[in-house]
Amino acid sequence: MSSASADLSFFAERMSHRASLSEADRAAIAELPHVRRRLNANTYLIREGEPPRSSCSLLISGMAFRHKLTVEGARQIVSVHLPGELLDLQHLLLNIADHSLQALTEVEVADIERDVLQDLILTRPAVANAFWVDGLIDASVFREWVLNVGRRDARARIAHILCEIAVRMRGAGLISASEKFVLPMTQEQLGDATGLTSVHVNRTIKALATDGLIEHSGRSISIANWQKLRRVGDFNPLYLHLDQVSPRFDSPLDALFISAGPA
């Protein structure tokens, strides 16, 4: 259920890095009426071909992913989402879902009515700008994922996705620059995100570990050689637009994260 004490200040803070917001704008976002739900891993929030729900979901905890299916049932994961991200911004205006959205882990979401969000962006231009930027960054990430699947080899694809998740987790404040991170994706899911088989994913991760680029235990990943992993993954974080995400990047390692130049 919604709770007056559990406001959306964290979301207002995040959106304030997308565009310049007044205190009134931030308060309007933080005080959005919402209903909180906990969902199990693999639960569908949206199914392709169906009308979206009357509300948009803001991810509070856990991870989610978008995907599409071929007629034969083959799945392509097209994005992974972290806490603080609005999961279905496009359905604020579109009437039919063109992809599916699923919980990757157990998640908590805040459901905000579509008409409430529409009213917010129509009456507060700065908030509308922040939402525009949020959608544009989503689109930028989608373009990079297309490039990753279409033009990089298996080793680069896996290295690239590990780099991205680490940087985005750091930007969201989920890990420090030196911490390990848990990537709660099965080898099948990693394969569906990179266009590889589970066997190929397993072999590639082992090779990255053997070469000293990463250390892994189960789903716990530690980047052992960041610069080399960047080079192998052809990872340039420019597409993440980190200057409009978070002020958290302040250590020497973070300087590598936000460098727009080639690895």
Side-chain angles (χ1 to χ4, degrees):
M1 63 177 63
S2 74
S3 170
S5 63
D7 66 17
L8 302 181
S9 296
F10 70 95
F11 183 49
E13 172 69 16
R14 182 175 185 274
M15 297 308 286
S16 72
H17 298 292
R18 300 300 203 217
S20 179
L21 301 181
S22 67
E23 287 301 317
D25 290 331
R26 291 165 63 108
I29 296 173
E31 295 166 8
L32 282 167
H34 60 280
V35 175
R36 295 193 175 210
R37 294 186 295 153
R38 287 192 177 275
L39 304 171
N40 294 328
N42 300 316
T43 301
Y44 276 85
L45 287 86
I46 300 170
R47 288 183 183 271
E48 183 174 358
E50 296 181 356
R53 300 173 65 251
S54 62
S55 57
C56 293
S57 296
L58 172 67
L59 188 59
I60 297 174
S61 64
M63 295 175 67
F65 66 99
R66 303 178 199 247
H67 67 85
K68 292 181 70 71
L69 298 175
T70 67
V71 173
E72 293 79 14
R75 181 177 65 178
Q76 181 68 47
I77 294 176
V78 298
S79 64
V80 172
H81 294 276
L82 304 178
E85 298 180 5
L86 196 60
L87 295 177
D88 49 357
L89 178 60
Q90 67 275 19
H91 294 132
L92 196 57
L93 298 173
L94 298 178
N95 295 323
I96 298 294
D98 55 49
H99 66 277
S100 296
L101 175 65
Q102 226 173 328
L104 179 62
T105 64
E106 179 179 306
V107 300
E108 182 179 8
V109 297
D111 290 333
I112 308 167
E113 291 297 316
R114 294 168 72 190
D115 58 355
V116 172
L117 281 175
Q118 289 171 356
D119 182 65
L120 177 67
I121 64 177
L122 287 174
T123 57
R124 293 189 173 275
V127 174
N129 286 343
F131 276 61
W132 258 106
V133 171
D134 201 56
L136 291 171
I137 293 175
D138 260 358
S140 177
V141 175
F142 291 152
R143 289 190 291 273
E144 188 70 21
W145 278 48
V146 171
L147 175 64
N148 200 43
V149 172
R151 291 297 178 183
R152 295 188 178 112
D153 63 23
R155 183 177 170 88
R157 292 180 205 180
I158 297 296
H160 192 279
I161 201 170
L162 294 179
C163 287
E164 178 183 309
I165 296 299
V167 170
R168 288 174 57 199
M169 282 187 169
R170 172 60 177 152
L174 300 176
I175 61 171
S176 72
S178 60
E179 280 181 334
K180 296 180 180 179
F181 66 95
V182 173
L183 182 60
M185 298 178 75
T186 65
Q187 290 182 359
E188 178 184 3
Q189 289 167 335
L190 274 172
D192 288 347
T194 55
L196 303 171
T197 65
S198 299
V199 172
H200 207 161
V201 169
N202 182 54
R203 186 184 303 125
T204 303
I205 289 176
K206 285 183 177 179
L208 292 173
T210 298
D211 292 344
L213 278 66
I214 65 170
E215 298 173 0
H216 76 102
S217 175
R219 297 180 187 176
S220 178
I221 302 289
S222 179
I223 297 178
N225 190 325
W226 173 253
Q227 291 196 34
K228 190 172 181 180
L229 190 67
R230 281 189 68 194
R231 288 195 297 271
V232 168
D234 183 32
F235 180 73
N236 181 340
L238 175 65
Y239 72 98
L240 294 173
H241 298 278
L242 296 172
D243 60 310
Q244 292 179 279
V245 174
S246 170
R248 302 180 193 277
F249 294 90
D250 54 11
S251 76
L253 184 55
D254 294 337
L256 290 174
F257 283 177
I258 63 176
S259 168

